[in-house]
């Protein structure tokens, strides 16, 4: 697996997110990152590959364990996010500020972060990417002592979720976990 620790990152963009992706990639390459780009190569290429297909392609590389994390881009960041999230094990967050990028990884362990080229200025995109790449799951120092336990519980239940089982159980979580199960993560 290509990891953040080894400064290896997957990126992908459609034509609407291309310029933002290019600015962020240039910044990261200057900092020694190895970038694998599975999006479009030129924003004017024809025929244009549609955002959802690029999302499927990037999501599949996360799903198959080839990359630890990715940055993906389209006009709003939402369409490519929805598509990528159809791949098993992909957790994508769409963010437009640094605080949300940090929280996306520290609280929700997203393995893909999406941004919108229509709404995110290049410098802000660079700051968002830096924040995301320099944060870790349960790595925050929050006042609430149960922050890490709460989010680990949620992530575990999300990863184990099966809609058909949930439906068969009258739309209730089967064997719900409690914060006691994660006492080791509670700050003392």
């Amino acid at each position: 697996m290509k990891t953040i620790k080894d400064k290896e990152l997957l990126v992908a963009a459609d034509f609407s997110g291309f310029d933002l992706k290019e600015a962020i990639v240039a910044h990261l390459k200057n900092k020694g990152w190895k970038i694998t780009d599975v999006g479009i190569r030129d924003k004017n290429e024809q025929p244009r590959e549609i955002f959802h297909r690029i999302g499927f392609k990037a999501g599949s590389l996360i799903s198959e364990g080839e990359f630890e994390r990715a940055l993906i881009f389209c006009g709003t960041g939402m369409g490519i996010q929805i598509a990528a999230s159809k791949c098993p094990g992909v957790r994508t967050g769409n963010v437009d500020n640094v605080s949300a990028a940090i929280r996306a990884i520290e609280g929700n362990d997203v393995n893909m972060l999406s941004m919108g080229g229509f709404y995110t200025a290049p410098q802000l995109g660079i700051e968002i990417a830096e924040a995301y790449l320099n944060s870790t799951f349960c790595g925050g120092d929050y006042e609430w002592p149960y922050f890490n336990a709460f989010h680990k519980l949620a992530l575990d239940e999300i990863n184990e979720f099966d809609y058909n089982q949930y439906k068969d159980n009258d739309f209730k979580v089967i064997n719900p976990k409690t914060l006691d199960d994660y006492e080791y993560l509670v700050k003392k």
Side-chain angles (χ1 to χ4, degrees):
M1 175 184 286
K2 295 178 179 162
T3 66
I4 297 306
K5 184 182 105 186
D6 295 328
K7 295 184 95 171
E8 297 205 42
L9 181 68
L10 176 67
V11 300
D14 74 348
F15 69 95
S16 298
F18 184 81
D19 290 338
L20 177 59
K21 185 256 321 175
E22 288 290 293
I24 292 169
V25 164
H27 170 80
L28 293 173
K29 281 183 174 180
N30 283 337
K31 294 193 136 217
W33 283 82
K34 294 177 219 131
I35 305 296
T36 300
D37 188 341
V38 296
I40 65 165
R41 300 285 181 231
D42 178 333
K43 71 178 180 178
N44 297 313
E45 72 183 32
Q46 295 294 330
R48 288 185 166 163
E49 189 163 17
I50 305 170
F51 64 88
H52 69 283
R53 293 179 188 155
I54 296 168
F56 295 154
K57 191 183 313 180
S60 69
L61 292 171
I62 294 289
S63 190
E64 293 298 316
E66 293 187 37
F67 287 86
E68 179 183 16
R69 291 197 208 165
L71 294 171
I72 56 177
F73 311 85
C74 68
T76 63
M78 292 179 235
I80 200 166
Q81 170 197 14
I82 293 166
S85 292
K86 296 293 286 181
C87 298
V90 171
R91 296 173 308 282
T92 308
N94 179 268
V95 302
D96 61 4
N97 65 73
V98 171
S99 296
I102 293 168
R103 191 62 174 261
I105 186 69
E106 287 182 353
N108 298 294
D109 198 25
V110 299
N111 47 22
M112 299 184 87
L113 197 72
S114 67
M115 289 184 252
F118 296 154
Y119 309 115
T120 309
Q123 184 57 43
L124 177 57
I126 288 167
E127 292 169 13
I128 288 169
E130 285 283 349
Y132 173 64
L133 296 172
N134 289 301
S135 298
T136 58
F137 180 56
C138 290
D141 186 24
Y142 295 93
E143 287 184 28
W144 187 40
Y146 291 92
F147 180 87
N148 291 337
F150 179 83
H151 286 89
K152 179 70 169 118
L153 180 157
L155 184 64
D156 286 350
E157 286 188 355
I158 290 167
N159 287 337
E160 294 167 7
F161 182 78
D162 178 288
Y163 180 78
N164 289 323
Q165 290 176 352
Y166 181 72
K167 182 178 175 182
D168 291 345
N169 197 43
D170 294 323
F171 299 99
K172 295 178 188 147
V173 172
I174 298 170
N175 301 320
K177 298 174 184 339
T178 70
L179 288 176
D180 292 338
D181 298 324
Y182 298 90
E183 190 64 34
Y184 66 97
L185 290 172
V186 176
K187 282 192 335 187
K188 304 289 181 188

